[in-house]
Amino acid sequence: MNDILFRLSEILEQRKSADPQSSYVAKLYHKGLDGILKKIGEEATETVIAAKNGDKEQIVYETADLWFHTLVLLAHQGLGPEDVLRELARREGLSGIAEKASRTE
């Protein structure tokens, strides 16, 4: 299961050349960055609402949608899950306060 992000990433790359009439992801790419960002905003809001409602099943469902659409964004920008995982690995063991301070200095 650990490689699901990479498998999805490969599929998202393939969908870049797909017909927007036959692929939801191709349709998102066709809408461009603003369309992708709008969808991420919607999914983030739905995730927040699910969390506020305390519905664990819905939290998982909405988080999956949010992650999926974030992967679409990464692919659109020429990035992949490995880029985010590399950054998380870089931050591992760092104090969140110290890490944030290092970005503002």
Side-chain angles (χ1 to χ4, degrees):
M1 183 152 68
N2 290 342
D3 62 343
I4 185 69
L5 295 177
F6 298 102
R7 291 195 317 266
L8 276 172
S9 178
E10 289 174 6
I11 292 168
L12 295 176
E13 282 299 318
Q14 294 168 6
R15 295 297 191 271
K16 285 182 176 180
S17 60
D19 179 2
Q21 297 297 334
S22 65
S23 166
Y24 171 73
V25 172
K27 188 183 289 189
L28 281 174
Y29 287 138
H30 185 72
K31 290 180 179 180
L33 182 60
D34 287 345
I36 295 167
L37 294 175
K38 180 180 176 188
K39 192 62 184 173
I40 290 174
E42 290 170 10
E43 298 302 343
T45 300
E46 290 170 1
T47 303
V48 169
I49 292 168
K52 289 290 283 181
N53 290 339
D55 183 338
K56 291 183 180 186
E57 186 175 313
Q58 199 63 26
I59 292 167
V60 169
Y61 181 87
E62 296 300 345
T63 300
D65 280 352
L66 178 58
W67 286 13
F68 177 83
H69 288 90
T70 301
L71 287 170
V72 172
L73 169 66
L74 290 172
H76 185 267
Q77 299 288 53
L79 299 166
E82 66 279 359
D83 297 296
V84 177
L85 293 173
R86 192 170 23 259
E87 176 60 15
L88 288 171
R90 184 191 69 78
R91 295 180 187 187
E92 186 176 15
L94 292 176
S95 157
I97 293 170
E99 193 282 327
K100 185 168 181 166
S102 73
R103 289 185 277 148
T104 59
E105 294 176 356

XYZ file of all heavy atoms in Angstrom:
826
model
N 0.824 -1.201 0.000
C 0.000 0.000 0.000
C 0.866 1.261 0.000
O 0.391 2.313 -0.408
C -0.939 -0.012 1.201
C -1.857 1.180 1.198
S -3.432 1.012 1.984
C -3.070 0.865 3.675
N 2.106 1.159 0.415
C 2.971 2.324 0.491
C 3.225 2.980 -0.860
O 3.593 4.139 -0.916
C 4.313 1.967 1.135
C 4.174 1.667 2.602
O 3.182 2.032 3.221
N 5.152 1.003 3.165
N 3.047 2.257 -1.948
C 3.344 2.826 -3.255
C 2.121 3.386 -3.975
O 2.209 3.766 -5.137
C 4.061 1.800 -4.124
C 3.219 0.567 -4.398
O 2.224 0.337 -3.684
O 3.576 -0.174 -5.326
N 1.000 3.501 -3.306
C -0.221 3.992 -3.949
C -0.033 5.405 -4.495
O -0.505 5.718 -5.594
C -1.452 3.919 -2.998
C -2.739 4.313 -3.739
C -1.285 4.815 -1.781
C -3.171 3.335 -4.772
N 0.673 6.263 -3.786
C 0.881 7.631 -4.269
C 1.661 7.624 -5.579
O 1.370 8.407 -6.493
C 1.615 8.475 -3.228
C 0.877 8.747 -1.919
C 1.766 9.538 -0.966
C -0.422 9.483 -2.166
N 2.631 6.732 -5.687
C 3.442 6.660 -6.897
C 2.648 6.069 -8.060
O 2.783 6.527 -9.199
C 4.730 5.887 -6.620
C 5.565 6.565 -5.575
C 5.575 6.090 -4.273
C 6.291 7.702 -5.871
C 6.310 6.735 -3.297
C 7.027 8.357 -4.906
C 7.042 7.875 -3.608
N 1.815 5.073 -7.778
C 0.970 4.509 -8.834
C -0.030 5.553 -9.335
O -0.235 5.705 -10.545
C 0.245 3.254 -8.342
C 1.184 2.075 -8.114
C 0.460 0.733 -7.979
N -0.735 0.741 -7.175
C -0.786 0.437 -5.865
N 0.315 0.092 -5.219
N -1.926 0.459 -5.214
N -0.627 6.280 -8.411
C -1.541 7.355 -8.809
C -0.809 8.419 -9.615
O -1.325 8.919 -10.623
C -2.176 8.004 -7.577
C -3.394 7.323 -6.995
C -3.778 7.962 -5.675
C -4.554 7.350 -7.959
N 0.394 8.751 -9.196
C 1.197 9.747 -9.896
C 1.442 9.340 -11.345
O 1.345 10.167 -12.267
C 2.519 9.939 -9.155
O 3.336 10.865 -9.816
N 1.727 8.081 -11.570
C 1.944 7.577 -12.928
C 0.664 7.690 -13.765
O 0.710 8.090 -14.931
C 2.424 6.134 -12.886
C 3.841 5.984 -12.374
C 4.255 4.532 -12.193
O 3.481 3.614 -12.569
O 5.366 4.319 -11.672
N -0.454 7.350 -13.170
C -1.733 7.451 -13.883
C -2.041 8.907 -14.214
O -2.480 9.225 -15.325
C -2.872 6.819 -13.055
C -2.670 5.311 -12.963
C -4.240 7.164 -13.640
C -3.556 4.624 -11.947
N -1.778 9.795 -13.268
C -2.039 11.219 -13.503
C -1.189 11.748 -14.651
O -1.658 12.575 -15.446
C -1.802 12.023 -12.225
C -2.757 11.719 -11.069
C -2.361 12.504 -9.835
C -4.200 11.985 -11.460
N 0.034 11.288 -14.754
C 0.896 11.685 -15.878
C 0.295 11.196 -17.198
O 0.283 11.931 -18.185
C 2.303 11.129 -15.704
C 3.167 11.899 -14.727
C 3.381 13.354 -15.133
O 3.615 13.635 -16.333
O 3.310 14.215 -14.250
N -0.198 9.973 -17.214
C -0.802 9.413 -18.435
C -2.039 10.207 -18.851
O -2.299 10.379 -20.044
C -1.177 7.951 -18.221
C -0.002 7.030 -18.009
C -0.427 5.651 -17.510
O -1.603 5.344 -17.418
N 0.560 4.831 -17.173
N -2.767 10.700 -17.874
C -4.019 11.411 -18.171
C -3.768 12.794 -18.782
O -4.682 13.402 -19.328
C -4.878 11.565 -16.911
C -5.391 10.261 -16.332
C -6.314 9.529 -17.284
N -7.001 8.436 -16.671
C -6.554 7.187 -16.597
N -5.383 6.881 -17.107
N -7.256 6.248 -16.014
N -2.543 13.289 -18.698
C -2.245 14.601 -19.280
C -2.533 14.620 -20.778
O -2.891 15.657 -21.324
C -0.786 14.990 -19.022
C -0.519 15.435 -17.611
C 0.933 15.849 -17.443
C 1.181 16.388 -16.051
N 2.584 16.796 -15.867
N -2.382 13.488 -21.419
C -2.612 13.428 -22.865
C -3.967 12.809 -23.217
O -4.252 12.587 -24.393
C -1.491 12.634 -23.536
O -1.447 11.320 -23.017
N -4.790 12.573 -22.234
C -6.103 11.959 -22.471
C -7.120 13.003 -22.934
O -6.930 14.212 -22.751
C -6.597 11.258 -21.208
N -8.187 12.531 -23.485
C -9.284 13.378 -23.936
C -10.092 13.850 -22.723
O -10.578 13.025 -21.943
C -10.173 12.567 -24.882
C -11.373 13.336 -25.392
O -11.536 14.523 -25.057
O -12.160 12.725 -26.146
N -10.262 15.167 -22.570
C -11.055 15.682 -21.440
C -12.495 15.182 -21.418
O -13.131 15.193 -20.370
C -11.020 17.199 -21.636
C -9.816 17.455 -22.450
C -9.655 16.244 -23.341
N -12.996 14.715 -22.561
C -14.355 14.175 -22.602
C -14.426 12.778 -21.994
O -15.504 12.318 -21.610
C -14.864 14.127 -24.048
C -14.971 15.484 -24.700
C -15.986 16.387 -24.014
O -16.939 15.928 -23.389
N -15.776 17.683 -24.121
N -13.274 12.112 -21.894
C -13.286 10.721 -21.421
C -12.565 10.528 -20.092
O -12.558 9.425 -19.560
C -12.651 9.804 -22.474
O -11.272 10.129 -22.626
N -11.945 11.592 -19.559
C -11.167 11.459 -18.332
C -11.405 12.660 -17.422
O -11.193 13.813 -17.828
C -9.667 11.359 -18.668
O -8.880 11.560 -17.515
N -11.818 12.372 -16.193
C -12.023 13.437 -15.205
C -10.731 14.210 -14.975
O -10.727 15.442 -14.926
C -12.522 12.826 -13.888
C -12.562 13.813 -12.750
C -13.539 14.803 -12.699
C -11.612 13.772 -11.738
C -13.575 15.723 -11.660
C -11.635 14.692 -10.695
C -12.619 15.658 -10.665
O -12.650 16.577 -9.651
N -9.616 13.503 -14.849
C -8.329 14.154 -14.594
C -7.914 15.002 -15.790
O -7.443 16.129 -15.621
C -7.246 13.112 -14.228
C -5.875 13.747 -14.147
C -7.594 12.436 -12.906
N -8.095 14.494 -16.992
C -7.775 15.277 -18.190
C -8.623 16.552 -18.224
O -8.138 17.619 -18.619
C -7.991 14.446 -19.440
N -9.872 16.431 -17.781
C -10.745 17.608 -17.724
C -10.199 18.635 -16.734
O -10.206 19.842 -17.002
C -12.161 17.194 -17.326
C -13.175 18.317 -17.419
C -14.541 17.888 -16.942
C -15.154 16.925 -17.926
N -16.570 16.640 -17.623
N -9.693 18.160 -15.596
C -9.081 19.080 -14.632
C -7.863 19.771 -15.239
O -7.704 20.992 -15.107
C -8.658 18.335 -13.364
C -9.735 18.006 -12.351
C -9.165 17.143 -11.234
C -10.352 19.267 -11.779
N -6.995 18.999 -15.881
C -5.819 19.600 -16.530
C -6.257 20.633 -17.561
O -5.645 21.698 -17.681
C -4.970 18.532 -17.223
C -4.180 17.632 -16.306
C -4.106 16.270 -16.571
C -3.481 18.122 -15.210
C -3.369 15.423 -15.757
C -2.749 17.286 -14.395
C -2.691 15.944 -14.670
O -1.957 15.106 -13.870
N -7.307 20.335 -18.299
C -7.809 21.234 -19.332
C -8.294 22.558 -18.720
O -8.173 23.611 -19.338
C -8.929 20.551 -20.115
C -9.426 21.350 -21.263
N -8.697 21.535 -22.418
C -10.591 22.023 -21.446
C -9.379 22.293 -23.247
N -10.539 22.596 -22.688
N -8.813 22.494 -17.504
C -9.278 23.712 -16.825
C -8.116 24.574 -16.348
O -8.309 25.738 -16.003
C -10.168 23.350 -15.632
C -11.509 22.785 -16.032
C -12.344 22.447 -14.816
C -13.703 21.899 -15.230
N -14.522 21.570 -14.061
N -6.932 23.993 -16.300
C -5.750 24.755 -15.921
C -5.587 24.889 -14.420
O -6.349 24.326 -13.622
N -4.592 25.654 -14.051
C -4.230 25.804 -12.651
C -5.389 26.320 -11.807
O -5.658 25.796 -10.727
C -3.014 26.731 -12.513
C -2.490 26.941 -11.101
C -2.055 25.621 -10.475
C -1.349 27.945 -11.104
N -6.100 27.331 -12.293
C -7.200 27.886 -11.501
C -8.283 26.850 -11.222
O -8.823 26.798 -10.115
C -7.808 29.109 -12.187
C -6.910 30.332 -12.111
O -5.962 30.333 -11.302
O -7.156 31.291 -12.872
N -8.603 26.021 -12.199
C -9.606 24.978 -12.004
C -9.155 23.938 -10.992
O -9.944 23.479 -10.164
N -7.884 23.572 -11.072
C -7.327 22.599 -10.119
C -7.322 23.184 -8.720
O -7.727 22.522 -7.752
C -5.911 22.172 -10.550
C -5.972 21.411 -11.880
C -5.249 21.324 -9.469
C -4.615 21.215 -12.544
N -6.907 24.432 -8.592
C -6.866 25.080 -7.272
C -8.268 25.232 -6.680
O -8.457 25.049 -5.471
C -6.178 26.439 -7.372
C -4.703 26.400 -7.731
C -4.163 27.813 -7.908
C -3.899 25.628 -6.695
N -9.235 25.548 -7.515
C -10.618 25.649 -7.038
C -11.076 24.316 -6.462
O -11.696 24.260 -5.397
C -11.534 26.079 -8.180
C -12.980 26.208 -7.777
C -13.847 26.638 -8.942
C -15.299 26.657 -8.502
N -16.196 26.885 -9.633
N -10.743 23.226 -7.163
C -11.140 21.897 -6.696
C -10.454 21.560 -5.379
O -11.082 20.998 -4.464
C -10.827 20.845 -7.771
C -11.463 19.526 -7.496
C -12.982 19.637 -7.471
C -13.601 18.311 -7.103
N -15.025 18.403 -6.900
N -9.190 21.913 -5.231
C -8.483 21.674 -3.964
C -9.139 22.464 -2.841
O -9.324 21.945 -1.738
C -6.986 22.012 -4.091
C -6.302 20.977 -4.982
C -6.312 22.067 -2.713
C -4.862 21.288 -5.296
N -9.510 23.692 -3.119
C -10.199 24.504 -2.115
C -11.506 23.876 -1.674
O -11.831 23.836 -0.478
N -12.268 23.360 -2.636
C -13.526 22.688 -2.311
C -13.283 21.462 -1.434
O -13.986 21.248 -0.436
C -14.240 22.244 -3.595
C -14.790 23.377 -4.421
C -15.277 22.905 -5.793
O -15.364 21.677 -6.031
O -15.569 23.778 -6.624
N -12.291 20.670 -1.820
C -12.006 19.443 -1.068
C -11.466 19.763 0.326
O -11.788 19.065 1.294
C -11.033 18.549 -1.835
C -11.546 18.075 -3.180
C -12.851 17.303 -3.118
O -13.250 16.823 -2.036
O -13.491 17.169 -4.179
N -10.665 20.813 0.445
C -10.161 21.214 1.763
C -11.319 21.643 2.666
O -11.374 21.265 3.846
C -9.142 22.344 1.621
N -12.243 22.394 2.119
C -13.411 22.831 2.885
C -14.254 21.639 3.322
O -14.691 21.564 4.481
C -14.259 23.807 2.049
O -13.451 24.945 1.715
C -15.498 24.251 2.808
N -14.456 20.686 2.417
C -15.237 19.495 2.764
C -14.530 18.670 3.834
O -15.182 18.080 4.709
C -15.503 18.663 1.511
C -16.479 19.351 0.569
C -16.596 18.687 -0.785
O -15.941 17.655 -1.033
O -17.363 19.221 -1.618
N -13.211 18.652 3.806
C -12.442 17.938 4.835
C -12.619 18.616 6.190
O -12.830 17.946 7.214
C -10.950 17.866 4.444
O -10.832 17.224 3.172
C -10.134 17.118 5.476
N -12.559 19.929 6.207
C -12.751 20.684 7.448
C -14.147 20.439 8.016
O -14.309 20.193 9.218
C -12.504 22.199 7.211
C -12.960 23.026 8.398
C -11.035 22.459 6.905
N -15.149 20.467 7.167
C -16.524 20.237 7.618
C -16.676 18.831 8.194
O -17.285 18.641 9.252
C -17.526 20.485 6.474
C -17.554 21.977 6.126
C -18.926 19.981 6.832
C -18.273 22.304 4.830
N -16.106 17.845 7.514
C -16.172 16.468 8.021
C -15.517 16.366 9.389
O -16.029 15.699 10.291
C -15.506 15.510 7.034
N -14.382 17.035 9.556
C -13.687 17.002 10.848
C -14.517 17.693 11.929
O -14.619 17.190 13.058
C -12.313 17.661 10.727
N -15.108 18.830 11.589
C -15.948 19.537 12.556
C -17.143 18.687 12.971
O -17.581 18.733 14.113
C -16.438 20.872 11.970
C -15.373 21.930 11.821
C -14.896 22.470 13.124
C -15.903 23.439 13.685
N -15.506 24.032 14.946
N -17.650 17.888 12.042
C -18.792 17.022 12.340
C -18.368 15.764 13.094
O -19.231 15.027 13.593
C -19.522 16.641 11.052
C -20.258 17.808 10.447
O -20.569 18.784 11.115
N -20.537 17.732 9.151
N -17.080 15.485 13.136
C -16.580 14.329 13.868
C -16.877 12.987 13.225
O -16.814 11.954 13.883
N -17.181 13.005 11.942
C -17.522 11.774 11.222
C -16.232 11.183 10.642
O -15.751 11.613 9.599
C -18.529 12.100 10.118
C -19.007 10.889 9.348
O -18.305 9.847 9.333
O -20.088 10.991 8.737
N -15.692 10.182 11.317
C -14.396 9.629 10.925
C -14.396 9.057 9.514
O -13.437 9.234 8.760
C -13.933 8.574 11.932
C -13.566 9.190 13.262
C -13.048 8.161 14.226
C -12.693 8.862 15.534
N -12.050 7.974 16.465
N -15.456 8.370 9.152
C -15.534 7.807 7.796
C -15.509 8.916 6.751
O -14.821 8.827 5.735
C -16.801 6.970 7.656
C -16.901 6.230 6.344
C -18.121 5.316 6.303
O -18.363 4.576 7.273
O -18.828 5.375 5.276
N -16.242 9.983 7.009
C -16.286 11.110 6.073
C -14.952 11.863 6.059
O -14.530 12.346 5.003
C -17.438 12.049 6.445
C -17.867 12.959 5.327
C -18.426 12.224 4.122
O -18.944 11.121 4.218
N -18.310 12.821 2.966
N -14.280 11.943 7.200
C -12.960 12.580 7.249
C -11.994 11.836 6.329
O -11.267 12.449 5.533
C -12.403 12.619 8.687
C -13.229 13.560 9.571
C -10.926 13.046 8.689
C -12.938 13.420 11.058
N -11.994 10.520 6.409
C -11.108 9.712 5.558
C -11.474 9.912 4.090
O -10.589 10.120 3.244
C -11.179 8.218 5.956
C -10.481 7.343 4.929
C -10.579 8.017 7.343
N -12.755 9.875 3.771
C -13.224 10.027 2.396
C -12.803 11.376 1.822
O -12.249 11.461 0.715
C -14.750 9.872 2.362
C -15.341 9.993 0.991
C -15.441 8.880 0.164
C -15.803 11.215 0.520
C -15.991 8.987 -1.118
C -16.338 11.333 -0.748
C -16.431 10.220 -1.558
O -16.965 10.325 -2.817
N -13.049 12.439 2.572
C -12.731 13.785 2.089
C -11.221 14.016 2.030
O -10.727 14.706 1.126
C -13.411 14.853 2.949
C -14.924 14.826 2.901
C -15.521 15.034 1.508
O -14.810 15.480 0.578
O -16.723 14.738 1.339
N -10.482 13.451 2.972
C -9.028 13.581 2.930
C -8.471 12.870 1.706
O -7.542 13.370 1.050
C -8.389 13.043 4.225
O -8.898 13.796 5.341
C -6.876 13.161 4.192
N -9.034 11.727 1.360
C -8.608 11.027 0.140
C -8.850 11.908 -1.084
O -7.987 12.003 -1.968
C -9.332 9.693 0.002
N -10.005 12.563 -1.141
C -10.282 13.486 -2.243
C -9.275 14.629 -2.269
O -8.778 15.012 -3.331
C -11.694 14.073 -2.125
C -12.783 13.147 -2.624
O -12.453 12.096 -3.219
O -13.965 13.483 -2.424
N -8.988 15.174 -1.100
C -8.031 16.283 -1.012
C -6.639 15.849 -1.470
O -5.991 16.546 -2.255
C -7.993 16.819 0.425
C -7.020 17.960 0.711
C -7.296 19.168 -0.179
C -7.098 18.346 2.179
N -6.192 14.710 -0.998
C -4.878 14.205 -1.412
C -4.841 13.952 -2.909
O -3.871 14.276 -3.589
C -4.524 12.936 -0.652
C -4.142 13.142 0.780
C -4.310 14.271 1.545
C -3.526 12.184 1.627
N -3.849 14.047 2.808
C -3.358 12.777 2.892
C -3.133 10.866 1.451
C -2.787 12.115 3.962
C -2.558 10.199 2.507
C -2.387 10.816 3.754
N -5.908 13.347 -3.434
C -5.963 13.054 -4.864
C -5.821 14.336 -5.681
O -5.014 14.412 -6.611
C -7.277 12.345 -5.216
C -7.417 12.086 -6.689
C -6.822 10.976 -7.262
C -8.131 12.964 -7.494
C -6.936 10.739 -8.631
C -8.249 12.734 -8.859
C -7.648 11.621 -9.423
N -6.602 15.329 -5.348
C -6.563 16.571 -6.119
C -5.242 17.318 -5.920
O -4.784 18.011 -6.830
C -7.785 17.425 -5.795
C -9.034 16.843 -6.372
N -9.805 15.947 -5.661
C -9.606 16.966 -7.593
C -10.817 15.571 -6.434
N -10.720 16.166 -7.603
N -4.622 17.145 -4.762
C -3.293 17.715 -4.552
C -2.267 17.017 -5.440
O -1.366 17.658 -5.985
C -2.900 17.622 -3.063
O -3.872 18.343 -2.290
C -1.536 18.230 -2.812
N -2.412 15.712 -5.624
C -1.537 14.990 -6.558
C -1.727 15.499 -7.983
O -0.753 15.596 -8.743
C -1.798 13.488 -6.491
C -1.293 12.765 -5.245
C -1.832 11.340 -5.210
C 0.221 12.774 -5.189
N -2.957 15.844 -8.353
C -3.205 16.423 -9.670
C -2.450 17.744 -9.793
O -1.793 18.007 -10.808
C -4.717 16.622 -9.929
C -4.957 17.407 -11.219
C -5.450 15.285 -9.973
N -2.514 18.569 -8.763
C -1.783 19.837 -8.754
C -0.281 19.604 -8.917
O 0.376 20.262 -9.730
C -2.044 20.611 -7.465
C -1.136 21.823 -7.224
C -1.387 22.903 -8.264
C -1.318 22.344 -5.821
N 0.258 18.682 -8.136
C 1.689 18.401 -8.227
C 2.063 17.996 -9.649
O 3.038 18.504 -10.218
C 2.086 17.300 -7.238
C 2.059 17.676 -5.760
C 2.273 16.437 -4.896
C 3.095 18.739 -5.449
N 1.291 17.081 -10.236
C 1.578 16.625 -11.602
C 1.483 17.788 -12.588
O 2.322 17.914 -13.484
C 0.626 15.498 -11.987
N 0.490 18.620 -12.417
C 0.315 19.783 -13.297
C 1.537 20.698 -13.237
O 1.908 21.314 -14.239
C -0.950 20.543 -12.898
C -1.282 21.678 -13.808
N -0.863 22.961 -13.570
C -1.987 21.716 -14.967
C -1.296 23.754 -14.531
N -1.989 23.019 -15.400
N 2.158 20.771 -12.079
C 3.313 21.645 -11.878
C 4.636 20.927 -12.137
O 5.700 21.473 -11.857
C 3.297 22.212 -10.451
C 2.071 23.045 -10.139
C 2.062 24.387 -10.846
O 2.203 24.466 -12.053
N 1.934 25.451 -10.093
N 4.573 19.694 -12.628
C 5.791 18.949 -12.916
C 6.458 18.374 -11.683
O 7.662 18.113 -11.680
N 5.669 18.184 -10.652
C 6.163 17.620 -9.390
C 5.471 16.287 -9.137
O 4.525 15.932 -9.829
C 5.888 18.585 -8.234
C 6.556 19.954 -8.345
C 5.948 20.922 -7.357
C 8.060 19.829 -8.138
N 5.926 15.591 -8.121
C 5.304 14.329 -7.756
C 5.359 14.112 -6.263
O 5.926 14.924 -5.522
N 4.779 13.013 -5.804
C 4.753 12.748 -4.369
C 6.153 12.639 -3.778
O 6.362 12.993 -2.614
C 3.989 11.428 -4.250
C 3.952 10.850 -5.607
C 4.112 11.966 -6.571
N 7.113 12.193 -4.565
C 8.477 12.073 -4.041
C 9.037 13.428 -3.613
O 9.823 13.501 -2.663
C 9.405 11.401 -5.071
C 9.645 12.188 -6.338
C 8.546 12.073 -7.385
O 7.549 11.362 -7.185
O 8.691 12.738 -8.428
N 8.610 14.514 -4.280
C 9.083 15.845 -3.901
C 8.567 16.236 -2.514
O 9.309 16.778 -1.696
C 8.649 16.876 -4.947
C 9.266 16.600 -6.297
O 10.507 16.670 -6.415
O 8.509 16.294 -7.236
N 7.319 15.944 -2.255
C 6.729 16.250 -0.946
C 7.316 15.328 0.118
O 7.654 15.780 1.226
C 5.188 16.137 -0.997
C 4.581 16.382 0.385
C 4.615 17.107 -2.015
N 7.460 14.053 -0.208
C 8.027 13.105 0.762
C 9.469 13.464 1.110
O 9.883 13.341 2.266
C 7.936 11.679 0.222
C 6.507 11.145 0.080
C 6.506 9.801 -0.630
C 5.812 11.063 1.428
N 10.215 13.947 0.125
C 11.596 14.379 0.380
C 11.613 15.565 1.361
O 12.425 15.629 2.275
C 12.269 14.746 -0.944
C 13.745 14.938 -0.871
C 14.453 15.073 -2.232
N 13.662 15.513 -3.364
C 13.177 14.697 -4.310
N 13.393 13.401 -4.260
N 12.479 15.191 -5.314
N 10.672 16.491 1.180
C 10.591 17.636 2.089
C 10.177 17.196 3.492
O 10.718 17.682 4.495
C 9.619 18.687 1.546
C 9.391 19.869 2.468
C 10.637 20.681 2.797
O 11.679 20.549 2.115
O 10.573 21.473 3.769
N 9.232 16.277 3.586
C 8.840 15.763 4.904
C 10.006 15.062 5.581
O 10.215 15.214 6.796
C 7.645 14.813 4.777
C 6.307 15.476 4.439
C 5.262 14.417 4.127
C 5.844 16.389 5.559
N 10.778 14.310 4.808
C 11.954 13.630 5.369
C 12.968 14.650 5.864
O 13.595 14.465 6.916
C 12.583 12.715 4.322
N 13.121 15.756 5.118
C 14.050 16.805 5.536
C 13.630 17.401 6.883
O 14.453 17.695 7.735
C 14.119 17.912 4.481
C 15.153 19.007 4.799
C 15.011 20.211 3.891
N 13.802 20.985 4.128
C 13.622 21.852 5.136
N 14.575 22.033 6.043
N 12.499 22.532 5.257
N 12.335 17.524 7.076
C 11.817 18.118 8.309
C 11.767 17.149 9.490
O 11.604 17.578 10.632
C 10.401 18.630 8.081
C 10.312 19.766 7.104
C 8.884 20.189 6.960
N 8.708 21.168 5.901
C 7.564 21.787 5.673
N 6.504 21.539 6.436
N 7.471 22.652 4.697
N 11.886 15.869 9.209
C 11.766 14.867 10.260
C 12.776 15.127 11.364
O 13.966 15.321 11.117
C 11.985 13.466 9.682
C 11.726 12.358 10.676
C 11.855 10.984 10.041
O 12.411 10.862 8.939
O 11.392 10.029 10.671
N 12.305 15.134 12.577
C 13.167 15.343 13.728
C 13.413 16.801 14.057
O 14.027 17.117 15.066
N 12.927 17.705 13.202
C 13.066 19.135 13.480
C 11.873 19.610 14.299
O 10.753 19.167 14.081
C 13.093 19.945 12.184
C 14.280 19.799 11.260
C 14.050 20.627 9.986
C 15.555 20.235 11.940
N 12.118 20.517 15.183
C 11.021 21.165 15.887
C 10.225 21.971 14.877
O 10.796 22.674 14.034
C 11.593 22.098 16.958
O 10.665 23.117 17.288
N 8.921 21.879 14.929
C 8.079 22.664 14.029
C 8.304 24.145 14.189
O 8.289 24.906 13.224
N 8.534 24.572 15.406
C 8.789 25.988 15.670
C 10.112 26.402 15.034
O 10.209 27.440 14.378
C 8.778 26.254 17.191
C 7.364 26.031 17.737
C 9.275 27.663 17.499
C 7.258 26.029 19.243
N 11.140 25.587 15.206
C 12.447 25.899 14.626
C 12.391 25.863 13.101
O 12.979 26.724 12.430
C 13.504 24.919 15.141
N 11.683 24.891 12.547
C 11.591 24.779 11.092
C 10.905 25.994 10.511
O 11.358 26.590 9.543
C 10.830 23.494 10.705
C 10.960 23.118 9.231
C 10.085 23.923 8.304
O 8.985 24.314 8.698
O 10.516 24.181 7.160
N 9.812 26.431 11.134
C 9.095 27.599 10.636
C 9.948 28.850 10.762
O 9.992 29.672 9.862
C 7.780 27.770 11.383
C 6.945 28.907 10.819
C 5.557 28.915 11.349
C 4.813 30.071 10.692
N 3.406 30.007 10.876
N 10.674 28.977 11.860
C 11.554 30.145 12.057
C 12.632 30.175 10.991
O 13.012 31.263 10.536
C 12.163 30.106 13.457
N 13.121 29.029 10.556
C 14.180 29.010 9.550
C 13.675 29.504 8.205
O 14.464 29.980 7.383
C 14.757 27.587 9.403
O 13.850 26.739 8.723
N 12.378 29.435 7.959
C 11.810 29.903 6.700
C 11.582 31.396 6.702
O 11.474 32.005 5.651
C 10.473 29.210 6.405
C 10.640 27.754 6.041
C 9.320 27.143 5.648
N 8.603 26.735 6.850
C 7.296 26.727 6.997
N 6.525 27.115 6.020
N 6.730 26.313 8.113
N 11.495 32.025 7.867
C 11.184 33.445 7.941
C 12.414 34.302 8.176
O 12.317 35.504 8.191
C 10.153 33.706 9.043
O 10.665 33.256 10.299
C 8.836 33.029 8.736
N 13.537 33.651 8.369
C 14.759 34.433 8.630
C 15.416 34.865 7.357
O 15.280 34.404 6.323
C 15.739 33.609 9.468
C 15.207 33.348 10.842
C 16.118 32.458 11.669
O 17.141 31.963 11.155
O 15.801 32.273 12.838
